[in-house]
Amino acid sequence: MSTINNQYFQYEGCNFVSTIYTKEHLEQLQHFEIKDTDVFIVTYPKSGTVWMQQIISLIYSDGDPAAVQSKPAMERVPWIEIIYVARNPKDIVVSSYFFHQHLALYESPKDFPDFLEKFLDGRVEFSCWFDHIREWYAHKDEFNFLFMTYEEMKKDLRASLQKICNFVGRQLSDEKLDSVIEHCKFNTMKMNPMANYEGIPKKSGEGTFLRKGTIGDWKNHFTVAQSEMFDRIFQERMKDVPLEFIWDNE
Ligand code: A3P
């Protein structure tokens, strides 16, 4: 373990925020009991983690938020199920920038250009987005793996839910699927204190965890020069990864 600055320390090559994690917590996780009935949601921060958690909980409780349960133990699968949620990285930087401004656990970013530079260098929480997605993509065939994107969920939530239901082997009636959709819509989740990290100290009363929930907000924050620089780095770092991203809502 090494300390990078006051904000982060590195553990097994990944940056962790010192106000949230300790080396002891991370070591304990090495002994966490994993059952072959577990579903893992893997994301880089700000890619839709809480949204997918809500979706999985609702699918397993037949769309009834009052009955949220863990996955029934008898539904065994040959390998652990992993759902990886990816999001276009320009929207991730913007979402993360505002999240850092909002939560007291984080140091406030100096400004957006500085934060963007750190993101591209991997000098941020959980290190480099490019390494994260590349490594998970490279290992996907070793697991029972479903690759989802934030953008496909935004564009067609029903079709996305059906895909997730098929993957986890759970069939829901149209009525139950409607209920899942209703409870994991942006506006419904925005009213949910749990989904909004209520109780976690904020820097000011302004803003919420569920901020905008849109595709393409980066266009409101990137300059043309920043976008072009990002595109160049993206093309270089992702040239051998055959993944397509949706960058705007049109
Ligand atoms: P924005 O900051 O762009 O609004 P994570 O859970 O990985 O931290 O991701 C947070 C991002 O997912 C935030 O993006 C948040 O608004 C968005 N999000 C959460 N729930 C959502 C939902 N039901 N529909 C659309 N976006 C959602």
Side-chain angles (χ1 to χ4, degrees):
M1 188 187 89
S2 58
T3 306
I4 300 177
N5 56 28
N6 288 340
Q7 197 176 179
Y8 304 116
F9 66 91
Q10 231 179 34
Y11 184 81
E12 307 249 337
C14 183
N15 297 345
F16 290 90
V17 176
S18 320
T19 48
I20 304 177
Y21 303 94
T22 63
K23 182 179 167 245
E24 289 70 35
H25 284 146
L26 299 171
E27 270 169 358
Q28 277 166 20
L29 281 178
Q30 310 269 2
H31 308 291
F32 185 79
E33 190 196 345
I34 296 173
K35 302 189 188 113
D36 59 5
T37 52
D38 289 336
V39 178
F40 281 79
I41 298 167
V42 179
T43 62
Y44 187 85
K46 315 319 293 172
S47 307
T49 323
V50 173
W51 192 12
M52 185 56 85
Q53 285 167 344
Q54 174 81 343
I55 289 172
I56 292 293
S57 305
L58 285 163
I59 286 177
Y60 277 98
S61 56
D62 287 336
D64 177 3
V68 167
Q69 58 189 20
S70 58
K71 187 177 173 183
M74 73 262 219
E75 290 183 36
R76 303 183 79 83
V77 289
W79 305 315
I80 291 162
E81 291 163 326
I82 294 183
I83 302 178
Y84 187 98
V85 189
R87 185 181 191 185
N88 90 58
K90 288 182 177 172
D91 279 338
I92 289 180
V93 192
V94 170
S95 178
S96 187
Y97 175 69
F98 286 105
F99 194 55
H100 279 68
Q101 284 193 333
H102 183 48
L103 281 199
L105 292 164
Y106 295 110
E107 270 177 27
S108 292
K110 190 172 133 216
D111 50 31
F112 184 70
D114 185 65
F115 191 77
L116 177 59
E117 196 183 308
K118 289 189 166 121
F119 178 88
L120 287 167
D121 286 352
R123 284 181 288 132
V124 286
E125 185 183 24
F126 301 119
S127 301
C128 180
W129 179 85
F130 294 101
D131 292 340
H132 193 275
I133 193 149
R134 289 175 61 87
E135 281 171 28
W136 277 100
Y137 191 77
H139 290 284
K140 69 179 176 22
D141 296 333
E142 293 159 31
F143 306 102
N144 198 7
F145 194 91
L146 177 68
F147 185 86
M148 296 290 303
T149 65
Y150 179 94
E151 290 78 18
E152 72 178 301
M153 303 202 304
K154 275 298 293 183
K155 285 186 179 270
D156 192 342
L157 187 53
R158 177 173 290 272
S160 301
L161 291 177
Q162 272 160 344
K163 203 162 150 185
I164 298 165
C165 283
N166 287 341
F167 178 71
V168 297
R170 190 118 185 142
Q171 295 313 319
L172 299 190
S173 64
D174 283 348
E175 194 192 332
K176 286 177 177 162
L177 207 58
D178 287 342
S179 175
V180 176
I181 290 173
E182 187 51 41
H183 288 101
C184 64
K185 274 187 188 154
F186 184 80
N187 288 340
T188 316
M189 281 182 61
K190 204 170 165 64
M191 309 302 290
N192 178 344
M194 289 276 284
N196 269 298
Y197 284 46
E198 275 181 20
I200 298 192
K202 314 289 180 320
K203 286 181 184 131
S204 72
E206 307 242 321
T208 50
F209 168 73
L210 268 85
R211 194 182 56 92
K212 279 198 171 173
T214 55
I215 305 172
D217 190 34
W218 64 271
K219 291 184 174 174
N220 299 317
H221 301 279
F222 277 59
T223 63
V224 172
Q226 284 167 344
S227 176
E228 286 174 357
M229 172 193 63
F230 198 109
D231 292 345
R232 275 195 303 278
I233 297 173
F234 182 91
Q235 272 151 25
E236 176 57 32
R237 299 288 311 263
M238 299 291 283
K239 60 173 183 276
D240 50 351
V241 182
L243 291 173
E244 297 275 333
F245 284 89
I246 294 173
W247 302 95
D248 61 45
N249 235 338
E250 285 139 35

